[in-house]
Amino acid sequence: EPEVTQTPSHQVTQMGQEVILRCVPISNHLYFYWYRQILGQKVEFLVSFYNNEISEKSEIFDDQFSVERPDGSNFTLKIRSTKLEDSAMYFCASSEARDRGGDTQYFGPGTRLTVL
Amino acid sequence: LAKTTQPISMDSYEGQEVNITCSHNNIATNDYITWYQQFPSQGPRFIIQGYKTKVTNEVASLFIPADRKSSTLSLPRVSLSDTAVYYCLVGDPFSGGYNKLIFGAGTRLAVHP
């Protein structure tokens, strides 16, 4: 069964450093998302991406965040200058075109980001 | 987006049927009801989606009454591995193709031996 993959599984960084979280969505999916989950809290939407541009972003997704689809398979989330409060699990998700049965999103296993 | 309400936690024992009810009084005509499951330190996993009446797949059943103001996720004969958080989400999956999912706190199900 196809699945979303994410690397690394755990990233430790110093405050102020840049990090790039990588995702490989399911190959025939066209819609991509990033979510995050701070330990013990809800899963929160960050951004959605379609046709090489951001479709929607949340208030969390400020100028420190950016997303990119650098090639036909990868989808990345960059945090330019990490803060302590960026420590969380970051989940990538993808979904098919909506005209093929709705927008079921498939999530990756997550990257645990720890900012020291 | 319709707000959902579900119990914070539930306990069950292996082999029992578990029913988790979700209230969504303000559900819109085009909204579907979707349930996700999340194990600790893993991403949410789609379980089931429905619009009305009953939907069944290999994992669960979803019961939706005629007024659609609530829904019940039914897990038959749970095992220890069903211990997880279960989220009920309501939205129109066809509205934009890139719908953000709004997760609540979910229901933390603990299955005991």
Side-chain angles (χ1 to χ4, degrees):
Chain A
E1 182 180 319
E3 58 184 21
V4 176
T5 60
Q6 292 185 242
T7 54
S9 57
H10 191 185
Q11 173 91 47
V12 180
T13 190
Q14 296 290 325
M15 190 169 54
Q17 294 296 304
E18 174 184 285
V19 295
I20 298 176
L21 310 183
R22 291 183 167 79
C23 167
V24 179
I26 295 173
S27 62
N28 65 331
H29 286 187
L30 300 178
Y31 300 91
F32 314 116
Y33 314 81
W34 283 100
Y35 293 80
R36 81 171 186 189
Q37 186 174 32
I38 295 170
L39 186 63
Q41 299 187 23
K42 300 176 188 179
V43 177
E44 301 174 287
F45 168 80
L46 292 179
V47 66
S48 58
F49 190 87
Y50 170 71
N51 200 25
N52 283 318
E53 60 182 27
I54 291 174
S55 310
E56 186 174 2
K57 58 185 181 180
S58 71
E59 292 177 352
I60 303 167
F61 195 88
D62 60 23
D63 292 343
Q64 293 301 311
F65 291 86
S66 63
V67 289
E68 191 180 25
R69 188 154 164 83
D71 52 44
S73 60
N74 290 284
F75 180 51
T76 63
L77 174 69
K78 180 192 291 186
I79 309 175
R80 289 189 182 83
S81 179
T82 51
K83 303 188 282 280
L84 295 176
E85 54 264 38
D86 293 327
S87 294
M89 282 287 283
Y90 287 82
F91 297 109
C92 173
S94 68
S95 63
E96 289 185 276
R98 58 188 162 94
D99 59 356
R100 292 178 201 161
D103 188 30
T104 299
Q105 293 184 25
Y106 295 85
F107 285 75
T111 293
R112 180 174 298 284
L113 177 64
T114 302
V115 182
L116 303 176
Chain B
L1 295 169
K3 180 176 164 57
T4 61
T5 303
Q6 50 183 123
I8 294 173
S9 64
M10 294 182 69
D11 289 275
S12 184
Y13 293 90
E14 285 188 290
Q16 289 190 334
E17 179 184 78
V18 171
N19 296 307
I20 306 174
T21 296
C22 178
S23 297
H24 27 80
N25 291 318
N26 296 320
I27 190 168
T29 302
N30 295 330
D31 285 346
Y32 279 63
I33 299 144
T34 309
W35 286 79
Y36 279 81
Q37 173 193 55
Q38 186 181 27
F39 297 113
S41 298
Q42 293 189 29
R45 184 175 76 103
F46 171 85
I47 301 175
I48 198 166
Q49 183 181 75
Y51 183 79
K52 61 180 179 180
T53 64
K54 177 183 174 183
V55 180
T56 296
N57 61 22
E58 64 278 5
V59 176
S61 295
L62 179 59
F63 298 92
I64 306 167
D67 66 6
R68 305 198 328 120
K69 293 183 183 300
S70 67
S71 59
T72 299
L73 174 72
S74 181
L75 305 173
R77 300 183 59 80
V78 294
S79 64
L80 296 177
S81 62
D82 292 315
T83 294
V85 179
Y86 292 82
Y87 300 98
C88 166
L89 293 87
V90 171
D92 180 359
F94 297 92
S95 68
Y98 32 79
N99 295 308
K100 60 187 178 188
L101 296 179
I102 306 296
F103 288 86
T107 297
R108 189 171 299 275
L109 172 66
V111 180
H112 306 280

